[in-house]
Amino acid sequence: MELDHSFVFRIVNFIVGAFMIIGGVVTILTGGFPQFIRGIYCILFGAIVFLFEFRLPSVVTQHVSFMFSFIGRGVFYIFIGCIILNYLALGIASGVIVILAGVAYVVLQFIPSIHAPSNMNREALDQSMQGGAGLGPRATNFAAEHQNAPGSSPYGQSAAEAGGFVSAGV
């Protein structure tokens, strides 16, 4: 029986997202305004990791293209895991689990026989970006209608180019 790598990666990403959220809550509970802000960010990033397992919204993917490679996702997980680490046992456990997943993803980048799952490869990024990087059909149509020739300004001819610029001698 061959194990489906895509399913394993999806489970790992679910676990990492859950521990990001748990670690964010623990960080908030340590007290203080800076920890509150760090915790909110960790919870938000955990929710985004969950979201990426179900859907790839183009509004988000245009800003986080690093999540579509093993090394990019791994470094991100290591970074968030370090933020989650604190002196509480659950914070330490959450941080270590997220960091270990990140290290595993970085190592997988250099193993050519392991391929990224469908929601973590370049094709998934390209598909989610179709339609004007999340701008919607109206903005995409407007941009297509108003494309300029290379080297021209999107604002038309400048006063200097038109010869209408007159220097006021001081």
Side-chain angles (χ1 to χ4, degrees):
M1 179 173 134
E2 188 174 319
L3 186 62
D4 181 19
H5 292 297
S6 181
F7 180 72
V8 172
F9 290 129
R10 191 168 293 259
I11 295 298
V12 168
N13 290 332
F14 278 131
I15 291 169
V16 167
F19 278 107
M20 281 183 185
I21 292 171
I22 291 168
V25 170
V26 170
T27 301
I28 289 172
L29 295 177
T30 60
F33 186 71
Q35 286 75 16
F36 176 78
I37 298 299
R38 284 182 20 211
I40 293 298
Y41 272 107
C42 291
I43 292 169
L44 178 68
F45 290 143
I48 289 172
V49 169
F50 271 126
L51 178 68
F52 271 27
E53 295 309 310
F54 295 110
R55 191 167 165 261
L56 298 172
S58 61
V59 173
V60 176
T61 56
Q62 67 182 344
H63 300 291
V64 293
S65 59
F66 60 88
M67 293 288 281
F68 293 93
S69 70
F70 282 134
I71 196 161
R73 192 174 285 235
V75 170
F76 173 70
Y77 285 175
I78 291 168
F79 175 72
I80 298 300
C82 290
I83 290 175
I84 292 171
L85 286 173
N86 60 42
Y87 58 88
L88 297 176
L90 193 54
I92 293 170
S94 297
V96 167
I97 289 169
V98 174
I99 289 169
L100 287 176
V103 169
Y105 275 130
V106 169
V107 169
L108 287 174
Q109 177 71 31
F110 302 103
I111 301 176
S113 62
I114 304 290
H115 300 287
S118 61
N119 67 331
M120 279 180 54
N121 59 25
R122 180 69 184 182
E123 291 79 27
L125 174 63
D126 292 340
Q127 285 177 351
S128 71
M129 295 298 289
Q130 287 178 349
L135 299 175
R138 287 179 47 200
T140 303
N141 292 340
F142 179 82
E145 293 169 4
H146 295 90
Q147 284 185 340
N148 298 314
S152 69
S153 169
Y155 305 108
Q157 192 175 24
S158 71
E161 292 170 336
F165 179 73
V166 178
S167 173
V170 179

